[in-house]
Amino acid sequence: MNYYIITGTSRGLGKAFVEALLKDEQNFVFGISREQTIHHSRYKHLSLDLSDSNVLKNLQLPIDLTANKLVLINNAGRLGDIKHVPNLDVEDVVTTYLLNNAAPVVLSSLFLSQTNHFKGERIIINISSGAAHRPIDGWSVYCSSKSGLDMFTKVVNEELKLSGNHENTRCFSIAPGVVDTNMQQEIRSAESENFSSLQTFKDFKNNDELVAPNEVAKKIITILTDWKTIQDAVFSVRDY
Ligand SMILES: NC(=O)c1ccc[n+]([C@@H]2O[C@H](COP(=O)([O-])OP(=O)(O)OC[C@H]3O[C@@H](n4cnc5c(N)ncnc54)[C@H](OP(=O)(O)O)[C@@H]3O)[C@@H](O)[C@H]2O)c1
């Protein structure tokens, strides 16, 4: 049995991951998001707000150590307000960093500590963004939160090497490309004075350049079947 913990499973890419994984009877998924939209005999859900620091401080992961393989997918994320830096709202800034950075770090830490003696394969997948490497005006918090996630991923792998766990345990940060989800709708509803790339993102939709979440989920799952051969900790689905 393969045991997956996935955040942000109520819609978009996270939901697509769950739907793809549940097609295989060997897979069991534990999902976390504020809303529950999936009901299945091999799916369990925890309704949590991962941008609440008190939730993060008290979090315990229900991990089935009888599994052969354990996977954590830190997928939940938010864009936050699309505004230039002088106009940022403090509450929104804090919420975005908590969800996009603190939550994956806390979940990864719990995942690795609670499975310290596990002998099978352990994989952490952080869902990042091309925006981690490209400054986009209006997205300062989102871009910096995702580049922080990429660096966190690299440090985890350094520590895994030092502890002699790198053969069986790995952390990846994956940019999923431009995916047709609510997040893209939010981007298209931004105001042009806060975001000079607005028309580019409207054109992605108008020109059918957005990729369906189920296609991206399937591609990432396929790429990771051979995870031991992947050299880079940080990469984009577009590289494959
Ligand atoms: N769509 C794209 O083009 C694109 C591109 C690059 C990277 N990404 C990344 O891909 C990931 C998935 O995004 P998506 O496009 O699928 O976005 P989405 O459709 O907006 O879905 C976001 C998911 O995160 C969950 N979430 C949001 N706030 C949460 C909170 N406070 N606590 C717990 N869960 C929360 C949502 O569930 P609830 O609202 O039920 O809590 C939802 O399931 C994100 O990390 C995003 O940054 C997306």
Side-chain angles (χ1 to χ4, degrees):
M1 188 260 285
N2 308 309
Y3 187 88
Y4 289 80
I5 297 172
I6 307 179
T7 66
T9 52
S10 63
R11 59 173 188 267
L13 185 55
K15 187 172 189 182
F17 273 127
V18 180
E19 287 171 346
L21 289 165
L22 289 178
K23 288 186 182 144
D24 181 341
E25 285 186 0
Q26 290 303 308
N27 293 336
F28 178 92
V29 183
F30 189 91
I32 304 174
S33 51
R34 289 168 299 182
E35 197 190 340
Q36 175 170 6
T37 61
I38 302 171
H39 299 270
H40 190 282
S41 56
R42 281 180 282 107
Y43 178 81
K44 281 212 166 27
H45 189 87
L46 191 56
S47 292
L48 283 182
D49 182 349
L50 291 170
S51 66
D52 180 336
S53 59
N54 286 320
V55 165
L56 297 180
K57 283 175 200 162
N58 295 306
L59 199 58
Q60 284 296 314
L61 291 181
I63 302 178
D64 187 342
L65 295 170
T66 64
N68 303 315
K69 177 172 161 183
L70 301 175
V71 183
L72 167 66
I73 306 182
N74 286 307
N75 163 79
R78 75 196 295 275
L79 200 61
D81 286 344
I82 300 181
K83 286 180 179 167
H84 284 189
V85 175
N87 305 321
L88 289 174
D89 172 72
V90 174
E91 188 71 33
D92 191 77
V93 170
V94 172
T95 303
T96 305
Y97 283 127
L98 280 167
L99 183 66
N100 293 5
N101 286 118
V105 171
V106 169
L107 283 156
S108 301
S109 172
L110 290 172
F111 179 78
L112 291 175
S113 63
Q114 287 180 218
T115 59
N116 200 21
H117 301 296
F118 183 72
K119 297 282 180 244
E121 298 177 358
R122 296 182 299 174
I123 307 169
I124 298 173
I125 299 159
N126 294 319
I127 299 299
S128 183
S129 169
H133 313 282
R134 197 159 51 93
I136 300 171
D137 71 285
W139 293 16
S140 57
V141 177
Y142 183 74
C143 289
S144 54
S145 71
K146 292 298 188 181
S147 61
L149 192 58
D150 285 359
M151 180 51 80
F152 172 71
T153 302
K154 291 179 186 175
V155 175
V156 171
N157 285 308
E158 289 308 307
E159 293 183 1
L160 289 171
K161 284 178 195 159
L162 285 171
S163 61
N165 284 312
H166 199 245
E167 273 308 301
N168 286 337
T169 309
R170 202 66 56 82
C171 186
F172 298 102
S173 203
I174 306 176
V178 194
V179 194
D180 199 1
T181 65
N182 277 26
M183 191 173 273
Q184 286 295 325
Q185 272 177 22
E186 266 181 63
I187 295 169
R188 290 192 300 275
S189 61
E191 286 159 18
S192 57
E193 70 262 30
N194 297 323
F195 179 44
S196 66
S197 308
L198 179 61
Q199 193 55 46
T200 307
F201 280 83
K202 285 186 172 173
D203 289 345
F204 285 150
K205 180 70 175 172
N206 295 336
N207 301 334
D208 259 344
E209 290 175 58
L210 299 179
V211 187
N214 62 330
E215 277 181 39
V216 178
K218 263 196 281 178
K219 193 166 176 191
I220 292 177
I221 292 166
T222 307
I223 292 168
L224 289 161
T225 1
D226 267 340
W227 67 270
K228 288 196 180 185
T229 63
I230 301 173
Q231 300 299 320
D232 295 327
V234 177
F235 62 91
S236 166
V237 287
R238 288 172 166 156
D239 301 336
Y240 286 82

